[in-house]
Amino acid sequence: MKSAILVHSNKPLIVDNIVLPHKLDFGQVLVKIKFSGICGAQINEIEAVKGKDKFLPHLLGHEGSGIVEKIGAGVSTVKVGDHVVLHWRKGSGIQSTTPKYNWNGKTVNAGWVTTFNEKAVISENRLTVIPKDFNLRTAALFGCSVTSGFGAVNNDAQVKIGQSVIIFGIGGMGINIAYACSLVSAYPIIGVDVHNHKIKMGKKFGLTHGIINKSNLKDEIKKINENKDIDIVFETTGNSKLMEKAYELTPNNGKTIFVGVPNKKISIYSLPLAFDKTMKASHGGASTPNEDIPRYVKLVKNNKINFNNLITHEYKLSEINKAISLFKTGKAGRILIKF
């Protein structure tokens, strides 16, 4: 079974054959992967941004779609043949032990969900069943980017009709945030990025205005928002300087929502937090996959939302390092690995 393995931090993944565990443990499910997304979380793991990686070598990937091939003891929410979304947030069902694979006599570690492999042993509570007539290509996005982005809007920020929004970073996450804000009729929805083509793409998914990051950002925002402060500021890049800027631009009665993982410690003036200013770090948009994913499936099937244009590139598993390199340039929308 082919898999992409992280063997050394800050090195390309190694694509090679690994051997599945001999037996499924209680609560484990074997899934044939059809599509996998690439998220910033995988880049963070490869680059060991949280510190030394104690689990090398290990597998990666936390959003995808596939078909159930086997189920272990105790599994009740999925059955063989089901089409499923694979997600990193906990859903319904058992949380199993994590699997261990074998690669040339070495143990390869894995978490409760991995998607950079042709087949994967997944914890039951990281799977949500979807209709068999639903496009598995689109479904892969529900594992993280859509649920996290929409959840940041609905759950973390609780954006109201007519509230003004600014989004730092118009990548896969920023576009989903913009799309969700448009669905709840926020206005204006302002995107800030260093790439003009990403602003253009964001306008297809709800951005009403775009700003190429400038030193006079506050003046530009006030021009757009009728000389008023912005109600809600989302920061998706994890760049510490931008996180500080996002907090600074948030008025004393506004909300700052940090969606990206910070690359360094940040420094803020905390006094406004004692009054009405709110600062929150989003953890997957506080999404509940087994509740949220069926809602999004319903909206797609009834032509209320459409994510087709969000996916800009597809690669084979053998090309995964090329896909990761493209992801890091910021020049793509959502990138999928197609099995």
Side-chain angles (χ1 to χ4, degrees), residues 312-332:
T312 59
H313 296 79
E314 285 184 15
Y315 287 90
K316 298 174 184 177
L317 181 62
S318 60
E319 303 171 306
I320 194 163
N321 289 305
K322 184 178 178 181
I324 288 169
S325 294
L326 175 62
F327 183 96
K328 291 165 73 173
T329 68
K331 294 179 180 179

Side-chain angles (χ1 to χ4, degrees), residues 8-237:
H8 300 289
S9 298
N10 291 296
K11 298 285 186 181
L13 303 183
I14 292 176
V15 178
D16 203 356
N17 285 307
I18 64 172
V19 179
L20 286 162
H22 296 301
K23 177 185 173 186
L24 294 177
D25 284 347
F26 186 81
Q28 290 182 338
V29 180
L30 180 64
V31 178
K32 183 176 182 179
I33 310 295
K34 302 301 286 185
F35 291 91
S36 171
I38 299 175
C39 292
Q42 282 85 65
I43 309 305
N44 292 337
E45 286 185 84
I46 292 167
E47 296 179 350
V49 298
K50 295 180 181 179
K52 186 177 179 180
D53 194 330
K54 299 179 291 185
F55 300 100
L56 296 173
H58 65 79
L59 304 186
L60 295 168
H62 70 201
E63 75 166 10
S65 60
I67 301 172
V68 174
E69 289 201 338
K70 293 181 184 178
I71 61 172
V75 173
S76 61
T77 63
V78 302
K79 63 183 183 298
V80 173
D82 278 346
H83 289 201
V84 290
V85 173
L86 297 83
H87 43 78
W88 66 273
R89 290 278 300 178
K90 291 181 183 178
S92 58
I94 299 163
Q95 176 151 305
S96 71
T97 56
T98 56
K100 294 187 184 299
Y101 300 80
N102 188 280
W103 174 51
N104 294 333
K106 298 177 184 177
T107 296
V108 178
N109 297 304
W112 291 289
V113 57
T114 60
T115 59
F116 290 2
N117 32 319
E118 291 176 326
K119 294 186 181 183
V121 176
I122 310 294
S123 178
E124 181 187 11
N125 66 352
R126 263 60 175 196
L127 298 171
T128 294
V129 177
I130 58 171
K132 289 184 179 179
D133 63 350
F134 192 79
N135 190 337
L136 286 168
R137 181 174 182 265
T138 302
L141 303 178
F142 296 159
C144 177
S145 60
V146 171
T147 45
S148 295
F150 278 40
V153 172
N154 287 325
N155 302 325
D156 296 320
Q158 297 179 345
V159 179
K160 296 179 181 177
I161 293 170
Q163 283 191 310
S164 54
V165 170
I166 186 165
I167 306 162
F168 282 85
I170 311 302
M173 191 60 65
I175 285 175
N176 277 293
I177 290 171
Y179 200 4
C181 285
S182 72
L183 292 174
V184 297
S185 297
Y187 188 87
I189 304 168
I190 306 168
V192 180
D193 205 284
V194 295
H195 298 290
N196 192 51
H197 70 270
K198 293 175 82 173
I199 296 291
K200 286 182 179 179
M201 185 172 183
K203 287 183 177 179
K204 297 177 183 178
F205 286 90
L207 286 187
T208 60
H209 301 78
I211 301 173
I212 298 300
N213 203 355
K214 297 177 181 178
S215 56
N216 62 337
L217 198 53
K218 192 168 186 177
D219 294 338
E220 290 287 321
I221 292 166
K222 288 212 165 188
K223 280 182 191 175
I224 293 169
N225 199 34
E226 299 177 350
N227 208 36
K228 295 176 184 176
D229 290 318
I230 291 291
D231 295 310
I232 300 167
V233 182
F234 292 94
E235 207 297 314
T236 74
T237 71

Side-chain angles (χ1 to χ4, degrees), residues 281-302:
S282 179
H283 188 251
S287 172
T288 305
N290 55 288
E291 295 177 4
D292 295 337
I293 290 171
R295 292 177 187 145
Y296 303 149
V297 167
K298 178 177 67 175
L299 290 174
V300 171
K301 291 187 76 171
N302 286 280

